[in-house]
Amino acid sequence: MVNWLQRIINRLFRNFFKKKGHVKLGLYGPPNGGKTTLANRICKDWLGEEMGSVSNIAHETREIQIKEEIHIKSDGKELSFNLVDTPGIATKIDYEDFINAGMKETKAKKRAKEATKGVIDAIKWLDEMEVVIVVLDSTKNPYSQVNITMIGNLEARNIPVLVVANKVDLKKSNVKKLEAAFPQYEIVAISAKYGDNIDEFYKSLFKLAG
Amino acid sequence: MLTLHFVPHYKIESLSSDQRIKKLLKLAKQNKIVVLEGRLRKEEETELIKQTMEEINTKFKGIELAVIYPESESNSLVTRAKNEVINFLLGERQGMTIIGPATIVKKIKKDPDQITLLTKEKQKKKRKK
């Protein structure tokens, strides 16, 4: 009962700010799905500058990053939002993986510690979001429990979700598998790195948050 | 030695969310692969991930998690309605949840209706010269 009431209050709070044009748009997903690459693409397209650094080693983004007041235009309409890039959500973090990727032990342990804190922060921030873009790597198995838990949770909180199938420029990309895994959602297939199909992405974003 | 620990749903149904999560995490931290009858609530699954992160150290590296649930878009309307009634009567007792410590479980591969659990190879002990 308390949870239900809390959800209604949150929703009213969210709607109030949405009308004022301060939509909080979160980028969520597992590590190395391309959240920061997409955030950089959006920021470069509309602000002319990048948002954060990207890396092939997982957990490069370990802190919540916010870019305020992004205004995008499509088909004569305008959408304003604050973009929140979150650390990748994972169920395990092993500092030895970072050592295997070429890091020194002290640095690897520090990265692992920061990464665990990042996951906790990303989960805490879920309550703050008004719209969420779930960024998934289309070359990976979409049925991972992290994906299902994350999307199920957003659904339970009544937060509008857009699922992005990223990395379509890669040969292994399988968008159909992703569509089969989440048939209840609109899936936008893009390459955040090269900007493939990015106009379609903005159109879907307008449909969801505009 | 690999230990599978089965947790029947009645063992957790009277517990609070926090107690449920702590109980399951405690078992995983004892290097046991937990097989739970049924599933946690959606918000409990997220809380499980959060609390797992809080517990991570050099020995405990997190968990592998998978849930199998008899819920498919291909199910007919009648089947889905039947599942809803069962859920209402039995709570979250349908399906199965597997939680394995990441030090033992390398990966849980999940395709819609089946789970494959891959364990890590035991590390060879270095011989003393």
Side-chain angles (χ1 to χ4, degrees):
Chain A
M1 180 71 183
V2 175
N3 281 347
W4 176 77
L5 202 65
Q6 183 72 46
R7 240 176 258 155
I8 288 184
I9 293 167
N10 285 349
R11 194 97 215 121
L12 288 172
F13 190 74
R14 273 203 290 267
N15 286 342
F16 174 77
F17 283 104
K18 194 173 172 178
K19 275 171 196 155
K20 299 248 171 193
H22 294 277
V23 178
K24 255 193 206 128
L25 184 104
L27 293 173
Y28 274 79
N32 270 24
K35 294 179 291 300
T36 306
T37 308
L38 180 58
N40 283 342
R41 168 68 50 190
I42 296 169
C43 289
K44 257 202 298 196
D45 284 352
W46 303 99
L47 299 174
E49 60 185 26
E50 292 201 337
M51 189 168 177
S53 61
V54 293
S55 162
N56 287 332
I57 305 172
H59 299 285
E60 176 68 8
T61 306
R62 299 184 294 283
E63 282 178 357
I64 303 280
Q65 299 188 67
I66 305 169
K67 204 62 144 178
E68 292 187 336
E69 296 290 322
I70 298 177
H71 306 280
I72 68 171
K73 287 174 187 169
S74 177
D75 294 334
K77 290 184 217 159
E78 193 173 326
L79 175 69
S80 305
F81 55 85
N82 297 336
L83 186 63
V84 185
D85 185 20
T86 64
I89 293 183
T91 57
K92 62 175 181 183
I93 292 168
D94 187 350
Y95 75 93
E96 286 178 26
D97 290 342
F98 302 137
I99 292 176
N100 293 337
M103 274 185 192
K104 287 194 173 159
E105 190 174 333
T106 325
K107 211 177 166 190
K109 282 183 176 169
K110 187 172 174 263
R111 189 181 178 97
K113 201 173 177 184
E114 288 170 355
T116 57
K117 193 183 167 295
V119 176
I120 296 167
D121 287 345
I123 292 172
K124 281 183 186 165
W125 268 74
L126 269 174
D127 271 333
E128 303 286 322
M129 299 302 160
E130 287 144 284
V131 178
V132 165
I133 301 167
V134 174
V135 185
L136 301 178
D137 181 343
S138 64
T139 68
K140 299 257 170 76
N141 180 10
Y143 294 98
S144 112
Q145 194 58 42
V146 166
N147 296 348
I148 293 164
T149 299
M150 196 168 44
I151 290 175
N153 223 271
L154 292 164
E155 209 172 73
R157 288 165 200 250
N158 291 321
I159 298 173
V161 173
L162 175 65
V163 180
V164 165
N166 193 23
K167 306 193 186 183
V168 291
D169 53 295
L170 298 179
K171 266 188 181 176
K172 275 186 176 177
S173 167
N174 189 344
V175 179
K176 283 196 174 148
K177 197 170 181 184
L178 223 144
E179 284 169 343
F182 303 106
Q184 68 276 42
Y185 289 100
E186 185 191 346
I187 312 273
V188 190
I190 64 161
S191 165
K193 191 175 178 180
Y194 298 107
D196 298 350
N197 214 25
I198 206 74
D199 289 338
E200 211 50 49
F201 163 75
Y202 288 129
K203 274 181 194 164
S204 300
L205 191 57
F206 262 95
K207 257 198 272 173
L208 193 76
Chain B
M1 191 174 67
L2 200 66
T3 312
L4 285 178
H5 189 109
F6 178 66
V7 182
H9 197 268
Y10 75 85
K11 287 265 188 189
I12 63 158
E13 69 189 350
S14 60
L15 302 179
S16 69
S17 290
D18 196 50
Q19 286 170 326
R20 286 175 178 207
I21 291 159
K22 287 208 159 57
K23 184 184 174 76
L24 297 172
L25 254 185
K26 192 179 168 190
L27 290 167
K29 283 183 79 181
Q30 290 165 359
N31 280 341
K32 291 173 180 171
I33 297 173
V34 184
V35 180
L36 170 72
E37 180 192 15
R39 64 180 299 179
L40 295 170
R41 296 183 195 107
K42 282 172 183 170
E43 61 271 24
E44 287 172 345
E45 277 176 24
T46 313
E47 190 57 32
L48 174 68
I49 296 175
K50 191 168 146 243
Q51 288 200 23
T52 300
M53 288 297 121
E54 286 166 357
E55 299 281 332
I56 283 183
N57 54 41
T58 47
K59 282 183 184 163
F60 178 66
K61 294 170 176 175
I63 56 167
E64 279 287 340
L65 172 71
V67 181
I68 276 202
Y69 198 66
E71 174 186 68
S72 168
E73 286 299 311
S74 56
N75 280 348
S76 67
L77 202 65
V78 179
T79 315
R80 273 189 273 170
K82 197 173 79 185
N83 284 339
E84 287 296 321
V85 174
I86 295 170
N87 276 345
F88 179 74
L89 295 173
L90 301 177
E92 300 286 350
R93 208 175 278 194
Q94 284 200 93
M96 186 171 70
T97 304
I98 298 177
I99 302 163
T103 40
I104 290 177
V105 180
K106 190 180 173 190
K107 201 175 187 180
I108 302 180
K109 276 190 194 170
K110 195 181 160 197
D111 251 305
D113 304 316
Q114 69 171 28
I115 285 177
T116 313
L117 188 142
L118 306 169
T119 55
K120 283 188 177 171
E121 280 179 41
K122 205 175 178 183
Q123 282 183 340
K124 285 175 190 167
K125 283 183 183 171
K126 283 179 189 170
R127 277 186 191 170
K128 282 182 184 173
K129 281 182 184 174

